[in-house]
Amino acid sequence: MPSPSPSPSSSPPPSPAGSRPLRADARRSIAAILDAGIHVLAVRPDASMADIAAAAGVGRVTVYAHFSSRADLLRAVVARAITEGDVVLAQVDLSGDPRAALERLILASWEQIARIGAVAAAAAGVLEAEEVRRLHAAPAARVEALLARGRELGVFREDLPAAWLVSVLHQLMQGAAVEVAAGRLEAAQAAPAISASVLAVWTCAR
Amino acid sequence: MPSPSPSPSSSPPPSPAGSRPLRADARRSIAAILDAGIHVLAVRPDASMADIAAAAGVGRVTVYAHFSSRADLLRAVVARAITEGDVVLAQVDLSGDPRAALERLILASWEQIARIGAVAAAAAGVLEAEEVRRLHAAPAARVEALLARGRELGVFREDLPAAWLVSVLHQLMQGAAVEVAAGRLEAAQAAPAISASVLAVWTCAR
């Protein structure tokens, strides 16, 4: 028998004194701003807060009520894109030959970066390296597990620290986004270039 | 016979009307601030403008007269460090086996990064990727020439774009600075890790 109580989204609980949970309309505004932010910044990485407000169908004041600066908004847009991308990456088949699995993971990861286009390159410029790294904790854990499995099977090198090998993948992925955004690397060449480079680093010990 | 005319540094030419060349004392202040900036930021990357002023023996007002913000000062410190480093890198012997030459160049480059310590990692966070890249135009030209020579000799791969291979070296060098600053990579492991990784990418075509 269905519960007679209303769903939380249609009827948020009243704010307890001293705390300020977001009201449903505030949550909807934030979601609309972040969705618009991803789409607008993907094509125009220099879009202003006003451009994003217009695309989200809200006023500039509403955007500033939730995000105190453009960097704040960019941070939230990137965090949301990474969370969404992580749901897709969790579906990638990482079984079988670890080298082939690494290539599948890199291709799927690059598709997520390409989906958000220039936002990734803009984030590389505006957000601190440590912040970008923190946001990638979940995808990084997947890469670490694949590296460990490939090492057990003897296909990935053991003579460099695991943390370094994982960071190489992260660095080359971010670096490729910067190179593509700057027009120095063709978008279609990015995934093969990252794949060939990371595979070389992970497998070619002298 | 020595020239009787005074050296330019002891007697700067008078300012022509309409232009504003820096006076000798202003040039000395800037040099002192940048020198202090490199030394202080190398150990304490979060040092304030006031900390750097104190180390330079000038007032805060003097620092702000030349650098409008901390990012501005950091930019100038990094630019000066790269220019100084480039003088050292120009002395590296790049003849002989291109792989050994690449290793010598990477080791010398890493020594320059290690010399300025955490400044490199701080710069990676504060300066835009394109800005960092522009500052490295001279060192990058040296890497491009070495890659081209190694390709002619058949030791460096041809199946990935040259611009990508050069950017891989740049990315891994910057990435290692971030990893060392964050305590995830031991400083002593950095140059061998960068060397082994770049050599793998440049030489291990499948």
Side-chain angles (χ1 to χ4, degrees), chain A residues 52-147:
Chain A
I52 293 166
V58 303
R60 269 182 68 222
V61 172
T62 305
V63 175
Y64 278 103
H66 298 300
F67 305 99
S68 62
S69 68
R70 199 173 168 282
D72 248 23
L73 174 56
L74 188 59
R75 196 171 287 124
V77 164
V78 170
R80 185 185 172 98
I82 292 172
T83 307
E84 287 176 359
D86 197 51
V87 173
V88 176
L89 296 182
Q91 310 301 317
V92 176
D93 173 17
L94 296 183
S95 64
D97 178 359
R99 285 162 294 219
L102 177 61
E103 289 191 291
R104 286 193 295 273
L105 186 57
I106 287 174
L107 180 60
S109 302
W110 180 256
E111 279 168 0
Q112 289 306 309
I113 291 180
R115 184 176 68 89
I116 62 167
V119 179
V126 171
L127 305 188
E128 298 225 353
E130 285 308 301
E131 200 164 4
V132 173
R133 194 178 181 278
R134 267 196 305 278
L135 290 170
H136 283 89
R142 205 170 287 125
V143 175
E144 281 160 25
L146 176 57
L147 173 64

Side-chain angles (χ1 to χ4, degrees), chain A:
Chain A
M1 207 164 156
S3 156
S5 59
S7 79
S9 68
S10 64
S11 169
S15 296
S19 87
R20 296 273 306 270
L22 286 172
R23 281 168 33 184
D25 57 348
R27 287 200 305 272
R28 277 194 300 270
S29 286
I30 292 174
I33 293 165
L34 294 179
D35 277 345
I38 290 184
H39 291 115
V40 172
L41 291 166
V43 226
R44 284 188 294 136
D46 58 346
S48 67
M49 300 278 268
D51 294 333
I52 293 166
V58 303
R60 269 182 68 222
V61 172
T62 305
V63 175
Y64 278 103
H66 298 300
F67 305 99
S68 62
S69 68
R70 199 173 168 282
D72 248 23
L73 174 56
L74 188 59
R75 196 171 287 124
V77 164
V78 170
R80 185 185 172 98
I82 292 172
T83 307
E84 287 176 359
D86 197 51
V87 173
V88 176
L89 296 182
Q91 310 301 317
V92 176
D93 173 17
L94 296 183
S95 64
D97 178 359
R99 285 162 294 219
L102 177 61
E103 289 191 291
R104 286 193 295 273
L105 186 57
I106 287 174
L107 180 60
S109 302
W110 180 256
E111 279 168 0
Q112 289 306 309
I113 291 180
R115 184 176 68 89
I116 62 167
V119 179
V126 171
L127 305 188
E128 298 225 353
E130 285 308 301
E131 200 164 4
V132 173
R133 194 178 181 278
R134 267 196 305 278
L135 290 170
H136 283 89
R142 205 170 287 125
V143 175
E144 281 160 25
L146 176 57
L147 173 64
R149 189 169 75 79
R151 279 179 155 187
E152 275 166 27
L153 295 173
V155 298
F156 294 145
R157 76 195 302 160
E158 300 265 7
D159 66 332
L160 289 179
W164 170 254
L165 295 178
V166 172
S167 85
V168 164
L169 188 152
H170 182 77
Q171 290 163 32
L172 297 188
M173 202 81 79
Q174 282 276 328
V178 170
E179 293 297 294
V180 168
R184 289 186 296 266
L185 179 66
E186 285 176 41
Q189 289 186 308
I194 302 166
S195 248
S197 303
V198 175
L199 265 176
V201 176
W202 282 30
T203 63
C204 283
R206 278 194 298 177

